[in-house]
Amino acid sequence: MTRRRQIYEGKAKILYEGPEPGTIVQYFKDDATAGNGAKKGIITGKGVLNNRISEYLMLKIGEIGIPTHFIKRLNMREQLVKTVEIIPLEVVVRNIAAGSISKRLGIEEGTRLPRSIVEFYLKNDELNDPIVSEEHISAFDWATPQEMDEITAYTFRINDFLSGLFLGIGIQLVDFKLEFGRVWENDEMHVVLADEISPDNCRFWDVQSGEKLDKDRFRRDLGKVEEAYQEVARRLGIFPEMNSSETNTETSNGKGLESI
Ligand code: UDP
């Protein structure tokens, strides 16, 4: 397979030009960062697992009628997606207090919130992704009020849907981060879910034990990081017979695993 032209390299993914106009290949790396790049590491097999987990969740979300950028998975580490213009916001939904809301507002981690809360952060590494209000978003034209209505409605639907899906496999969906993009189709612009949904950008707690099954294991040096990502995939029914040597397989140069 010929190497594709690289468009962008982020902290956890590389984007390549897709085979047709309007498409992009997302390559999932094993690199992990926390604290806006302050802490760096490798979570062996993470890219393979996140590719599969995100594929599974994007397809399920598509099935309930929410448009996504996902087209198809290409191989162990790559998926084909629609080219979108990323809306420069990180949309966080919270069901249970954890992480920054606990610190900022002094709410003990693990406290169930009175209702699900949506927050918006500006995607800007130099500024450390500051929290912003809808006033800032419309004043600076990062998204239109119509787009914000659509994003908020999609976000609550995704939260309800995923909360139920994960509860069914013994996992509490504590919080997660979404990104949206604009696509033009038939001369009309609309908002679609983009980026990825994986243990890198969700908090998952085991219902029984409260054990963390997400990137907080890396952020907080809790150990068993790979195992946590594998456990989420296993409970979703992905790779039921998986072991760590399989998730460690490199495929980017096409060694016969491209079709898996
Ligand atoms: N999150 C993310 N990317 C970010 C910041 C947060 O994916 O740059 C996710 C994070 O995994 C968690 C949720 O958004 O599921 C809320 O994160 P929080 O604001 O509590 O920040 P943190 O404690 O991770 O710094």
Side-chain angles (χ1 to χ4, degrees):
M1 185 192 258
T2 48
R3 223 50 193 108
R4 305 169 171 116
R5 195 174 72 82
Q6 184 174 318
I7 299 171
Y8 173 80
E9 176 157 10
K11 295 185 204 115
K13 292 190 289 293
I14 305 174
L15 303 183
Y16 297 101
E17 214 166 56
E20 290 158 31
T23 65
I24 280 182
V25 174
Q26 283 199 138
Y27 175 93
F28 287 74
K29 302 193 283 186
D30 283 349
D31 303 44
T33 61
N36 192 18
K39 180 180 161 94
K40 287 195 173 77
I42 299 278
I43 303 174
T44 307
K46 173 171 84 77
V48 173
L49 290 162
N50 283 358
N51 187 19
R52 292 297 298 260
I53 293 169
S54 196
E55 171 196 24
Y56 181 90
L57 296 174
M58 287 280 178
L59 286 173
K60 288 280 176 203
I61 288 167
E63 281 170 20
I64 63 162
I66 294 174
T68 81
H69 73 157
F70 184 82
I71 301 173
K72 65 174 179 181
R73 188 168 59 81
L74 297 171
N75 56 51
M76 295 277 273
R77 284 185 186 270
E78 293 177 330
Q79 51 181 243
L80 188 68
V81 299
K82 290 181 192 166
T83 307
V84 305
E85 180 186 291
I86 284 285
I87 295 170
L89 299 173
E90 303 209 336
V91 182
V92 169
V93 201
R94 302 178 184 274
N95 300 306
I96 295 171
S100 70
I101 196 174
S102 294
K103 282 203 200 97
R104 204 170 49 242
L105 303 182
I107 305 169
E108 197 187 339
E109 279 214 335
T111 309
R112 181 159 283 282
L113 297 168
R115 61 181 178 82
S116 303
I117 294 173
V118 175
E119 298 170 339
F120 304 103
Y121 295 82
L122 179 65
K123 258 174 84 73
N124 185 323
D125 282 344
E126 273 170 38
L127 299 176
N128 258 322
D129 297 346
I131 192 164
V132 291
S133 70
E134 289 197 52
E135 278 286 290
H136 298 113
I137 295 167
S138 68
F140 295 114
D141 215 12
W142 295 320
T144 65
Q146 293 86 329
E147 285 172 337
M148 290 308 290
D149 286 348
E150 204 159 27
I151 287 171
T152 305
Y154 284 158
T155 298
F156 278 120
R157 281 182 63 200
I158 293 167
N159 182 46
D160 283 347
F161 176 69
L162 291 186
S163 293
L165 186 151
F166 279 102
L167 209 51
I169 55 171
I171 290 174
Q172 253 176 344
L173 182 59
V174 173
D175 57 33
F176 60 101
K177 184 261 297 181
L178 300 174
E179 292 185 27
F180 292 87
R182 303 181 180 101
V183 289
W184 276 263
E185 267 164 7
N186 309 322
D187 279 346
E188 273 184 28
M189 202 249 296
H190 61 113
V191 168
V192 303
L193 180 65
D195 193 46
E196 68 175 281
I197 307 179
S198 73
D200 268 9
N201 42 46
C202 301
R203 284 195 168 95
F204 295 132
W205 292 355
D206 180 75
V207 168
Q208 295 296 326
S209 65
E211 196 187 352
K212 297 187 194 326
L213 298 172
D214 57 59
K215 201 168 126 186
D216 272 351
R217 300 205 73 84
F218 169 78
R219 293 188 189 102
R220 302 180 184 189
D221 295 317
L222 300 175
K224 297 205 171 155
V225 186
E226 289 89 351
E227 288 85 344
Y229 282 65
Q230 284 173 17
E231 180 61 14
V232 173
R234 191 190 64 76
R235 290 199 200 177
L236 287 170
I238 300 167
F239 287 149
E241 70 303 327
M242 174 186 57
N243 62 49
S244 57
S245 65
E246 281 175 294
T247 56
N248 197 12
T249 310
E250 263 301 335
T251 61
S252 58
N253 287 325
K255 286 258 189 301
L257 286 165
E258 298 287 312
S259 59
I260 288 176

